[in-house]
């Protein structure tokens, strides 16, 4: 029989599946056929076939929680199988998403790549090292870091280690402090911002190009850098008045494309609805690839059994990873009271992978045993609906009813009000986008009028 605690731990909605690792790969379900397109296949083909011997830059977007990180892990696994060295990292581990500068992104890429290369050989990177050392000197001279951080001065730490400190550690000593201290972050941008082209050249000429040569000498096909979670940067305005998202991907977008390796950045979904989207597409050679929701019904309202079936397999694979699809379906009764209540869970998720796992985890925790009952699920749905409706204004309810009628979201205001807050989901059918209200909200009285 299925163990209750083991099942609960396997449905953790916060965990990204590392598809390259066998333990996680057994839980992976390929939703490509029910999403409307295979964005990962296109990205892989671009990198490994079309532009194999030259740098490329791609953007990847979609709803937060729809499975982008897991799909990027799939991309990493497939590229590694093709012989590429892949550096895949979550940018918000190094960058304050509330205050992002192009300098932060370039330094973080340099830190992550140098750390990877140091596993093979220590990058010489003299010019980049000198730039980092000068930056350290400026920061420690003009800012009282000790008073700011309550620790020993940055200069003292470097002086005692400068004969042995690695390039990645030297950059990290900048990025970690910049993320944690706004004064250092501001001064870092003031100092390196005007010479950002010099920083880019140093990263390319001293680190990336020699690094790729080193990798090829060791049997790799090339270098791919995947910068995940940049889609999570806040949309608040910078001092210039531009939003952070437009600043980074439009105003500084050309710099993002200039790194001398293959790069993939996750991009905020809201930029697809921005008036600046046309300008953004002029900065990047390829239009952003979007990961839609898992479709559980067609645009005409008819149910889509294949999509519903894929969602059910995602849940069952967490419980019975070693079984075939058919064998898993035979054991649904060990988890759910009835097959109908399992279908209800999948339908009310709207095809949003993380929302489904979050609701399931809440259900499992509240039930305290298996199998899971209908009454506990309905209580969890009521709770979730109540949480979401508390902040919805009358004007937003009208927008939601309009989306329900037209299956469209018109502009950035609609995005900010509806999609970013997961009140509306995007789907694709026959290469065309359409939108629908989150099924949780369809439970509300305001949507039943």
């Amino acid at each position: 029989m299925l163990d209750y605690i083991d099942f609960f731990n396997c449905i953790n909605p916060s965990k990204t599946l590392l598809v390259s690792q066998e333990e996680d790969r057994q839980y992976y379900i390929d939703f490509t056929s029910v999403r409307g397109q295979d964005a990962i296949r296109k990205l892989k083909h671009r990198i490994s076939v079309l532009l194999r011997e030259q740098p490329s830059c791609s953007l990847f977007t979609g709803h937060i929680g729809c499975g982008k990180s897991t799909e990027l892990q799939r991309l990493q696994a497939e590229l590694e199988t093709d012989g590429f060295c892949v550096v895949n990292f979550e940018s918000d581990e190094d960058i304050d998403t509330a205050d992002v500068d192009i300098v932060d992104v370039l330094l973080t890429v340099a830190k992550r790549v140098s750390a990877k290369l140091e596993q093979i050989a220590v990058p010489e990177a003299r010019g980049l090292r000198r730039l980092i050392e000068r930056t350290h000197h400026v920061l420690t001279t003009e800012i009282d870091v000790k008073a700011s951080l309550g620790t020993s001065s940055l200069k003292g730490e470097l002086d005692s280690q400068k004969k042995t400190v690695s390039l990645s550690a030297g950059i990290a000593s900048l990025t970690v402090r910049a993320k944690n201290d706004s004064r250092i972050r501001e001064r870092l941008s003031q100092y390196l911002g005007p010479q950002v082209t010099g920083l880019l050249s140093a990263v390319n000429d001293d680190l990336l190009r020699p690094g790729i040569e080193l990798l090829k000498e060791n049997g790799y096909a090339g270098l791919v850098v995947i910068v995940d979670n940049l889609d999570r940067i806040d949309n608040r305005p910078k001092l210039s008045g531009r939003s952070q998202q437009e600043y980074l991907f439009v105003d500084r977008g050309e710099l993002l494309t200039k790194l001398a390796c293959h790069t993939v950045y996750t991009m905020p979904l809201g930029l697809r609805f921005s008036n600046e989207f046309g300008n953004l597409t002029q900065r990047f050679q390829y239009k952003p690839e979007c990961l839609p929701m898992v479709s559980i019904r067609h645009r005409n309202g008819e149910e889509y059994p294949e999509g519903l079936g894929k969602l059910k397999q995602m849940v069952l694979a967490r419980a019975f990873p070693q079984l075939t699809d058919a064998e898993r379906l035979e054991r649904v009764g060990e988890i759910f009271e009835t097959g109908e209540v399992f279908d209800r869970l999948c339908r009310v998720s709207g095809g949003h992978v993380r929302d489904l796992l979050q609701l399931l985890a809440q259900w499992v925790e509240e039930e305290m045993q298996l199998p899971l009952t209908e009454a506990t699920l309905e209580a969890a749905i009521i709770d979730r609906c109540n949480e979401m409706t508390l902040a919805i204004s009358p004007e937003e309810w009208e927008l939601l009813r309009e989306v329900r009628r037209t299956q469209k979201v018109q502009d950035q205001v609609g995005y900010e009000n509806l999609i970013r807050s997961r009140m509306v989901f995007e789907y694709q059918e026959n290469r065309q986008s359409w939108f629908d209200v989150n099924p949780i909200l369809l439970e509300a009285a305001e949507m039943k009028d």
Side-chain angles (χ1 to χ4, degrees), residues 128-316:
L128 182 56
R129 286 178 185 273
R130 285 195 296 269
L131 179 58
I132 298 301
E133 288 171 1
R134 289 199 304 270
T135 304
H136 277 301
H137 177 73
V138 169
L139 292 182
T140 54
T141 299
E142 299 193 16
I143 295 180
D144 182 3
V145 180
K146 183 176 182 179
S148 174
L149 298 177
T151 63
S152 60
S153 75
L154 181 59
K155 183 175 186 299
E157 292 174 4
L158 287 176
D159 284 348
S160 65
Q161 302 179 43
K162 65 181 180 180
K163 297 297 183 183
T164 58
V165 70
S166 68
L167 177 60
S168 61
I171 300 173
S173 62
L174 284 176
T175 58
V176 170
R177 287 164 173 78
K179 179 182 180 182
N180 295 326
D181 191 294
S182 60
R183 295 173 63 201
I184 296 177
R185 187 164 60 248
E186 180 181 3
R187 183 57 189 149
L188 184 65
S189 296
Q190 288 174 348
Y191 178 68
L192 286 179
Q195 50 183 326
V196 67
T197 54
L199 171 61
L200 179 62
S201 295
V203 171
N204 282 335
D205 297 338
D206 287 355
L207 181 64
L208 295 181
R209 291 191 180 98
I212 291 171
E213 290 181 11
L214 174 66
L215 289 170
K216 289 185 175 181
E217 290 172 2
N218 284 268
Y220 289 97
L223 174 66
V224 181
V225 176
I226 299 175
V227 187
D228 199 0
N229 288 0
L230 271 186
D231 57 313
R232 299 184 180 186
I233 63 174
D234 290 352
N235 203 28
R236 66 184 64 183
K238 297 182 76 68
L239 292 178
S240 63
R242 294 282 275 174
S243 75
Q244 283 201 111
Q245 296 177 1
E246 292 173 349
Y247 157 79
L248 184 61
F249 287 93
V250 181
D251 299 349
R252 295 300 204 176
E254 188 172 357
L255 291 173
L256 292 177
T257 71
K258 297 299 185 183
L259 288 170
C261 63
H262 297 289
T263 50
V264 179
Y265 304 97
T266 55
M267 180 197 82
L269 182 63
L271 287 173
R272 291 180 63 231
F273 300 85
S274 168
N275 291 333
E276 292 290 336
F277 186 66
N279 290 328
L280 181 148
T281 58
Q282 296 301 309
R283 305 294 194 275
F284 295 86
Q285 183 177 359
Y286 301 98
K287 70 179 183 67
E289 300 295 335
C290 183
L291 189 70
M293 292 293 106
V294 174
S295 295
I296 56 176
R297 69 179 185 87
H298 294 287
R299 191 168 189 170
N300 63 9
E302 293 181 5
E303 190 165 276
Y304 187 20
E306 185 180 355
L308 195 66
K310 289 279 188 179
L311 285 178
K312 292 168 74 170
Q313 286 297 328
M314 180 190 73
V315 173
L316 294 173

Side-chain angles (χ1 to χ4, degrees), residues 2-11 27 318:
L2 179 64
D3 184 83
Y4 168 82
I5 297 176
D6 288 345
F7 180 61
F8 178 75
N9 289 327
C10 284
I11 59 173
Y27 300 132
R318 307 298 175 103

